[in-house]
């Protein structure tokens, strides 16, 4: 959003690129459904090379490198209203799936009054997140055993929300109480005037430091590349945000200090936006130049965007309650995994 609206004081090419990005993001907001997929465009060997200077025993595990290089996160949402006008109660469906190189590992969907989910217990164990074998769990594991067997289960979304609220009650979790033991204070929010001031400042930084290039492709495809020196851009953006840090809705988060930012590489980094017939279809951020001494040829964070498909409830899901899941996990699965000790 900052990139899309930041080019009014830039070159003619920047202005044209900014207008195209602005229109593309506006069109996304008019949709009633949207899906995106996020992954790293790299390989396990590259990730291991990035970790070459780690202390013995602290290196990234082979399983984790394989997962990060081959994994992807997929998300879909749908709403009764255009997405840029939607509040929490307007969404009618949501789906999230995390997949590894060998298949889906975790998936959940919210449809109607229920939340549906399943996991691949064996797959999680294979990537270094050990789960007890479903066939070795006692009957007391109940509903949780179904989950580890890869079956779809469903639980009332209302029950999940109530459980979440109970966890947020004063005294239930460390750090959740207010200053005098009361309810947690409300998260800070930015008022419209402050938001406008902040966005104007950030846009000015991007317009000053980011160069845009456009290149046409085939079949209505166009690429817009935004390039900037990473440390310079990040430092100036943080400097603009810092005076407003206390008002940001990020409790407990701290902005990096000037000393922290001096450690950031100042090499030029590029983000490439792909538009197809004017619609945003992909964003790729090239991170290879931030690898410092490691020899990295390909390292990018890629976001693919689509209009999305209708989120549907999976067939054959077993209805369970939160109590059944917790009893199965604590009384059956945990007991089987760790024993009496």
């Amino acid at each position: 959003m900052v990139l899309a609206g930041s080019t009014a004081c830039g070159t003619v090419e920047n202005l044209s690129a900014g207008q195209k990005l602005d229109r593309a993001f506006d069109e996304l907001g008019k949709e009633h459904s949207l899906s995106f997929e996020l992954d790293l465009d790299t390989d396990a060997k590259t990730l291991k090379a990035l970790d070459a200077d780690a202390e013995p025993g602290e290196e990234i595990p082979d399983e984790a490198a394989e997962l990060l290089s081959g994994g992807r996160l997929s998300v879909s949402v749908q709403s009764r209203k255009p997405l840029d006008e939607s509040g929490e109660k307007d969404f009618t469906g949501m789906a999230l799936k995390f997949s590894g190189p060998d298949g889906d590992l975790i998936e959940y969907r919210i449809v109607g009054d229920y939340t549906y989910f399943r996991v691949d217990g064996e797959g999680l164990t294979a990537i270094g997140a050990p789960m007890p074998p479903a066939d070795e769990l006692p009957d007391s594991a109940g509903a949780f055993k179904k989950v580890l067997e890869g079956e779809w289960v469903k639980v009332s979304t209302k029950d999940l929300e109530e459980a979440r609220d109970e966890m947020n009650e004063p005294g239930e979790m460390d750090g959740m109480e207010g200053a005098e033991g009361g309810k947690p204070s409300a998260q800070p929010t930015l008022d419209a005037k402050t938001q406008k001031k902040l966005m104007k400042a950030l846009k000015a930084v991007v317009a000053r430091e980011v160069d845009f290039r456009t290149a046409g492709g085939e079949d209505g495809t166009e690429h817009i590349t935004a390039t900037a020196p990473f440390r310079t851009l990040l430092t100036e953006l943080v400097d603009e945000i810092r005076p407003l840090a206390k008002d940001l809705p990020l409790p407990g988060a701290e902005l990096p200090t000037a000393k922290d930012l001096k450690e950031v590489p100042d090499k030029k980094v590029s983000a490439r936006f792909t538009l197809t017939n004017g619609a945003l279809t992909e964003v790729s951020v090239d991170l290879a130049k931030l690898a410092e001494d490691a020899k990295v040829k390909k390292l990018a964070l890629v976001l693919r965007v689509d209009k999305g498909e209708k989120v549907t409830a999976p067939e054959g899901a077993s209805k369970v309650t939160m109590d059944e899941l917790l009893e199965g996990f604590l009384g059956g699965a945990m007991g089987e995994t760790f024993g009496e000790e």
Side-chain angles (χ1 to χ4, degrees):
M1 290 168 57
V2 173
L3 286 171
S6 65
T7 52
C9 57
T11 64
V12 173
E13 183 169 15
N14 276 8
L15 180 60
S16 175
Q19 289 173 333
K20 290 175 181 177
L21 287 176
D22 203 12
R23 285 196 295 267
F25 279 103
D26 281 345
E27 289 302 313
L28 286 181
K30 295 177 183 178
E31 298 291 341
H32 286 251
S33 63
L34 180 68
S35 67
F36 66 84
E37 184 176 274
L38 184 68
D39 64 20
L40 279 175
D41 184 13
T42 188
D43 54 37
K45 183 179 179 180
T46 295
L47 294 178
K48 296 286 287 185
L50 290 173
D51 204 34
D53 294 333
E55 295 293 328
E58 298 296 326
E59 307 93 338
I60 182 173
D62 292 343
E63 298 87 353
E66 291 288 348
L67 177 63
L68 289 173
S69 63
R72 61 190 180 279
L73 179 70
S74 305
V75 178
S76 296
V77 294
Q78 62 187 48
S79 173
R80 299 183 184 91
K81 297 180 180 179
L83 293 174
D84 60 2
E85 301 175 10
S86 296
E88 184 176 353
K89 295 182 179 180
D90 297 315
F91 290 97
T92 58
M94 182 179 296
L96 181 145
K97 178 170 62 177
F98 181 68
S99 305
D102 298 320
D104 302 336
L105 295 172
I106 302 172
E107 183 173 5
Y108 86 83
R109 304 178 194 177
I110 302 175
V111 184
D113 296 329
Y114 288 94
T115 296
Y116 302 78
F117 57 93
R118 65 175 176 180
V119 301
D120 178 358
E122 291 184 1
L124 290 173
T125 299
I127 61 171
M131 304 293 286
D135 58 2
E136 295 180 9
L137 291 180
D139 293 339
S140 58
F144 191 70
K145 185 173 183 178
K146 289 181 178 291
V147 174
L148 292 183
E149 288 174 338
E151 295 184 24
W152 278 104
V153 299
K154 66 178 183 179
V155 64
S156 167
T157 301
K158 182 179 179 180
D159 288 349
L160 283 175
E161 293 172 348
E162 290 177 351
R164 176 196 62 193
D165 293 341
E166 288 177 3
M167 291 294 290
N168 289 336
E169 283 294 321
E172 291 294 326
M173 293 183 68
D174 292 338
M176 292 301 295
E177 293 187 359
E180 298 181 1
K183 290 186 177 181
S185 58
Q187 291 187 2
T189 58
L190 289 178
D191 59 77
K193 183 178 180 180
T194 305
Q195 288 184 43
K196 186 175 182 180
K197 179 181 178 181
L198 178 60
M199 288 299 291
K200 182 179 180 180
L202 297 182
K203 288 176 181 179
V205 172
V206 174
R208 184 169 62 248
E209 299 296 343
V210 179
D211 291 326
F212 289 83
R213 290 183 295 105
T214 59
E218 299 179 355
D219 302 324
T221 298
E222 186 172 22
H223 301 292
I224 298 175
T225 302
T227 304
F230 190 64
R231 185 202 307 149
T232 301
L233 178 62
L234 188 60
T235 299
E236 293 193 24
L237 289 173
V238 171
D239 285 346
E240 295 292 345
I241 296 172
R242 202 180 301 280
L244 302 171
K246 64 181 183 301
D247 299 319
L248 295 176
L250 299 171
E254 294 184 5
L255 292 173
T257 64
K259 183 179 180 180
D260 294 332
L261 292 170
K262 287 183 179 179
E263 302 298 322
V264 176
D266 203 29
K267 297 178 181 179
K268 289 188 175 182
V269 175
S270 297
R272 188 176 76 163
F273 301 81
T274 299
L275 307 182
T276 303
N277 296 324
L280 180 69
T281 55
E282 184 176 290
V283 182
S284 178
V285 183
D286 184 4
L287 303 175
K289 292 183 179 179
L290 299 182
E292 298 182 342
D293 297 333
K295 295 181 180 180
V296 175
K297 295 182 179 180
K298 183 173 67 171
L299 177 62
L301 183 65
V302 182
L303 177 72
R304 300 177 183 86
V305 185
D306 201 354
K307 291 183 179 180
E309 299 179 355
K310 184 177 181 179
V311 179
T312 59
E315 296 182 0
S318 300
K319 185 178 179 180
V320 300
T321 66
M322 285 296 299
D323 287 342
E324 288 174 328
L325 284 174
L326 290 174
E327 288 172 5
F329 177 66
L330 297 174
M334 291 290 283
E336 180 70 16
T337 302
F338 298 108
E340 292 182 5
E341 182 180 357

